[in-house]
Amino acid sequence: PIMSPNGVTHWEAAEDLSGVKLVLEWLDLLPGPTPTSPHLHCFEDPADRDVEYVPEEGLVDPRCLINGSSQKGCHMRGLFDKDSWKESLPHWGKTVVVGRARLGGHPVGIIAVETRTQEKIHPADPADASSCAICTSQAANVWFPDSACKTADTLADFEREGLPCFILANWRGFSGGMRDMFDEVLKFGADIVDNLVAYTHPVIVYIPPLGELRGGAWVVIDRCINSEVIEMFAAANSKGNILEPSGLIEIKFRDTDLIATIHRLDAQCISLKEQLRTTEDPALRDKLKARTEALLPTYRSIAFQFAALHDTPGRMLAKKVIHGIVEWPNARRFFIKHLRRRLHEFALRRQLTLASELSHAACTELLSSWYTEWCQSQQIQPDWSDDDQVTRWCAEAKAGITDKIASIKEGVMADTMLAFLADPRVVAQLGTRLATAEAAPIKAALKALLE
């Protein structure tokens, strides 16, 4: 009753055997100490299938998007591998759902958003006879201090475990009440940003069907925070913008702006204004006012619809704030292929960085040039955005890529040695060492280097 709701305990077990099983299941999701290749397990759920569960308008359990749902005796499978979902911290920060699952056999970390109102219970203090338990409601699709802290801590856990992270983003923003501000909701939001900046594994942000991403929630998970690892996608019927349409028209289409538009476009208003220029007739002015008031609700509706057009995935893609639009039924196929490609790419980039200390952009450019050379040797058109083709290149040209990385490493070591030998102080030190008992191994090393 205490350790789970306060976020200390990740899972609960009734007895020791269940606890050992939980630990083994968690360890089974972790890659090795030096993950040089994607961490793949055998899986039964086919990769080439549709996402069968389709969310509907209303209160939807986000776990159904992940693991599917049983409806009328039939199990509708979700985005991730069937029965692979393992939720953690279920009793703390309930407006956010976190856990681990598999996608095409690859273990991944998942952060999703609760779309139903949750209750938070503050227990009474046994040391204070006047205290009593307090139950407060937490709105759906909102980050509160506890759920923001839960998100930040989970990102740190996934980074230490070496897991790619999927964020099913469906937030309208952060809670902004005085109590929430006092409880450091801004600090925990900043922790989310810090942990994303430090993340070194693939992060895929996906706005699911009927989901929306708004305001400060978009700010803390935007791809610009760490463009090297974060990618953003959206379902065709999702929404995303800093402001909601109703808030946007309060700024861009106020009533004064709408009235000016009515007077500019409506034929009757134009005629009445022309007549008012020649005569100051109160009746004409009353007619103009009545006509404007009659048209104002329609123009408000048109303004709202125009503002809503900026919420669409097509507009997000045009503004380059997302990488692509992924239809929900095809999301599993796409993300399995894309994740495999990203894991291969990250593994190769990690090896290149260790061998040469190249920057992320330089590593990507070098890998792309090697991929282009391979495509030319195979007489196929190179397309760096083709996940299947890049994954195939990583598999078929693995030996050649390894040799190229080794050659780069040897070149870096040779350049380093030559730079040392160009320093007169190093040469003098070598001369001193050659005159001592340590001369034999140094001479052998120099002879091998020269050869």
Side-chain angles (χ1 to χ4, degrees), residues 347-367:
L348 292 176
R349 192 181 292 117
R350 189 179 298 111
Q351 294 177 44
L352 268 175
T353 303
L354 292 174
S356 61
E357 298 184 357
L358 291 173
S359 66
H360 180 277
C363 288
T364 302
E365 184 177 354
L366 186 59
L367 290 174

Side-chain angles (χ1 to χ4, degrees), residues 395-416:
E396 295 185 4
K398 183 177 180 180
I401 295 171
T402 302
D403 291 342
K404 289 180 179 180
I405 294 175
S407 177
I408 290 175
K409 184 176 181 179
E410 292 168 0
V412 169
M413 293 176 64
D415 291 341
T416 303

Side-chain angles (χ1 to χ4, degrees), residues 53-305:
Y53 174 78
V54 179
E56 300 176 354
E57 287 279 4
L59 305 179
V60 177
D61 189 344
R63 298 163 187 83
C64 296
L65 299 173
I66 300 169
N67 203 37
S69 175
S70 295
Q71 299 176 355
K72 299 179 181 180
C74 179
H75 183 76
M76 312 296 288
R77 291 174 293 183
L79 175 60
F80 297 88
D81 294 356
K82 183 181 178 182
D83 298 329
S84 67
W85 164 247
K86 184 63 179 177
E87 184 176 355
S88 60
L89 300 166
H91 304 298
W92 176 54
K94 295 181 181 179
T95 57
V96 167
V97 176
V98 302
R100 297 154 183 82
R102 297 189 190 279
L103 181 64
H106 298 278
V108 296
I110 302 171
I111 299 174
V113 187
E114 183 58 76
T115 59
R116 301 165 295 179
T117 301
Q118 300 295 309
E119 291 184 346
K120 181 180 180 180
I121 299 176
H122 304 266
D125 187 357
D128 185 359
S130 62
S131 69
C132 60
I134 301 175
C135 181
T136 58
S137 295
Q138 293 183 329
N141 307 96
V142 176
W143 259 316
F144 289 86
D146 55 351
S147 55
C149 181
K150 177 179 179 178
T151 304
D153 290 350
T154 301
L155 285 169
D157 289 343
F158 292 164
E159 167 63 18
R160 284 190 293 266
E161 295 170 15
L163 294 177
C165 179
F166 271 82
I167 301 177
L168 301 180
N170 190 9
W171 285 285
R172 297 179 62 191
F174 285 87
S175 57
M178 183 180 295
R179 182 184 294 274
D180 298 321
M181 297 294 284
F182 182 80
D183 289 338
E184 303 177 340
V185 66
L186 292 180
K187 173 182 177 295
F188 297 130
D191 288 342
I192 295 174
V193 175
D194 290 341
N195 289 338
L196 283 174
V197 169
Y199 215 86
T200 58
H201 308 284
V203 176
I204 296 176
V205 180
Y206 180 57
I207 308 176
L210 306 178
E212 58 181 330
L213 189 59
R214 306 281 184 188
W218 188 310
V219 171
V220 299
I221 59 174
D222 186 77
R223 66 189 185 97
C224 295
I225 291 172
N226 189 352
S227 59
E228 297 177 357
V229 303
I230 300 176
E231 293 179 309
M232 295 189 70
F233 300 91
N237 56 344
S238 62
K239 300 176 182 179
N241 206 336
I242 296 299
L243 295 176
E244 297 185 17
S246 56
L248 183 58
I249 62 175
E250 288 293 329
I251 299 173
K252 291 291 187 180
F253 295 105
R254 297 176 180 175
D255 282 355
T256 53
D257 301 317
L258 294 177
I259 291 172
T261 304
I262 292 171
H263 290 175
R264 179 170 53 87
L265 298 178
D266 183 65
Q268 292 187 31
C269 290
I270 294 172
S271 176
L272 290 170
K273 289 192 73 176
E274 287 290 339
Q275 296 177 46
L276 283 170
R277 288 178 182 176
T278 58
T279 178
E280 282 292 335
D281 187 350
L284 291 176
R285 193 167 295 281
D286 291 341
K287 286 183 180 180
L288 179 62
K289 182 179 179 181
R291 178 65 177 173
T292 302
E293 291 177 350
L295 291 177
L296 196 56
T298 302
Y299 273 71
R300 286 197 188 109
S301 177
I302 293 172
F304 182 88
Q305 294 299 326

